[in-house]
Amino acid sequence: EDQVTQSPEALRLQEGESSSLNCSYTVSGLRGLFWYRQDPGKGPEFLFTLYSAGEEKEKERLKATLTKKESFLHITAPKPEDSATYLCAVQAGGSQGNLIFGKGTKLSVKP
Amino acid sequence: NAGVTQTPKFQVLKTGQSMTLQCAQDMNHEYMSWYRQDPGMGLRLIHYSVGAGITDQGEVPNGYNVSRSTTEDFPLRLLSAAPSQTSVYFCASSPTPGFTEAFFGQGTRLTVV
């Protein structure tokens, strides 16, 4: 069964304190791994797509990496505005584009 | 550019009532989908469409119907609302069924009493 597990469930950081979020997955034929950001009361907002092991993507203070079993979202010197829930999703082979989501990691960055 | 627009944003229904959640996108995307989001659970796929006239079931389709008569619109119908359908519903669209990012609407918060 295709599955996505995110850890930790919640993470509290001080402003400037770098850390990483983990997304481990089991999927039959990974077509893509996606990271989204979700603010309270809003829909998920796309951040990155990773397609193959070894791939990395960066955007401002965020860097996503991918291995054959997991992905990491590294947050460097976070700011309070980075506070949000970060969602990981995978697309399996033959899935016609459907996404399987993890439960998310709620990140709080205190000034 | 409006993106994906969902209406209403909030709705309270009585058990047994029916209603339609509206979803419209102005990006000419072929692929559209509906997810529900419940506390402590990831987003779960309800129904999806790979183009006008084509729909299919996702992970949790029971109690919901969809149709896709145009590229732009993908309404979700609750036939007879139940308390278990209390949730936040998100509509999403993407240019093609695979390999591309999905754009999400702002969500509809539904409460069934």
Side-chain angles (χ1 to χ4, degrees):
Chain A
E1 180 184 353
D2 299 332
Q3 193 170 355
V4 176
T5 303
Q6 291 187 247
S7 62
E9 291 185 8
L11 182 62
R12 292 188 176 186
L13 299 174
Q14 288 296 126
E15 185 172 1
E17 179 186 3
S18 301
S19 187
S20 296
L21 282 55
N22 177 263
C23 171
S24 62
Y25 62 91
T26 54
V27 63
S28 51
L30 179 72
R31 298 184 76 183
L33 185 141
F34 301 80
W35 282 98
Y36 286 84
R37 168 189 172 129
Q38 187 174 24
D39 293 300
K42 300 292 182 69
E45 177 185 350
F46 172 78
L47 292 173
F48 303 109
T49 308
L50 302 167
Y51 295 111
S52 58
E55 189 174 1
E56 299 182 351
K57 295 274 181 73
E58 287 190 65
K59 180 180 180 179
E60 296 181 355
R61 295 176 292 282
L62 300 177
K63 179 180 178 179
T65 62
L66 180 64
T67 72
K68 289 186 177 180
K69 295 183 178 181
E70 56 192 350
S71 176
F72 293 93
L73 185 65
H74 307 278
I75 303 176
T76 301
K79 297 181 178 181
E81 52 262 42
D82 294 322
S83 298
T85 296
Y86 290 85
L87 304 175
C88 174
V90 298
Q91 189 180 100
S95 67
Q96 295 199 76
N98 305 335
L99 298 174
I100 301 167
F101 280 87
K103 296 179 182 179
T105 293
K106 185 175 182 180
L107 174 66
S108 299
V109 182
K110 302 299 182 184
Chain B
N1 191 352
V4 179
T5 302
Q6 291 184 236
T7 55
K9 291 186 178 180
F10 301 95
Q11 183 70 49
V12 179
L13 286 180
K14 294 182 178 180
T15 298
Q17 286 185 318
S18 63
M19 79 160 294
T20 300
L21 279 63
Q22 301 291 343
C23 175
Q25 52 93 6
D26 61 0
M27 298 172 282
N28 201 33
H29 287 172
E30 289 297 318
Y31 181 84
M32 296 185 74
S33 53
W34 277 101
Y35 291 85
R36 61 177 289 173
Q37 188 174 40
D38 301 294
M41 303 188 73
L43 286 149
R44 292 181 293 167
L45 182 67
I46 304 171
H47 284 285
Y48 65 96
S49 169
V50 299
I54 307 170
T55 64
D56 207 344
Q57 296 180 352
E59 179 185 355
V60 287
N62 292 342
Y64 308 95
N65 271 357
V66 292
S67 60
R68 183 96 179 270
S69 57
T70 67
T71 299
E72 295 78 21
D73 300 299
F74 190 43
L76 179 71
R77 298 182 185 85
L78 280 71
L79 308 174
S80 177
S84 60
Q85 294 179 304
T86 294
S87 186
V88 181
Y89 292 84
F90 289 100
C91 178
S93 75
S94 60
T96 59
F99 298 105
T100 57
E101 66 188 84
F103 295 83
F104 283 81
Q106 294 296 293
T108 295
R109 183 174 293 274
L110 175 69
T111 301
V112 182
V113 297

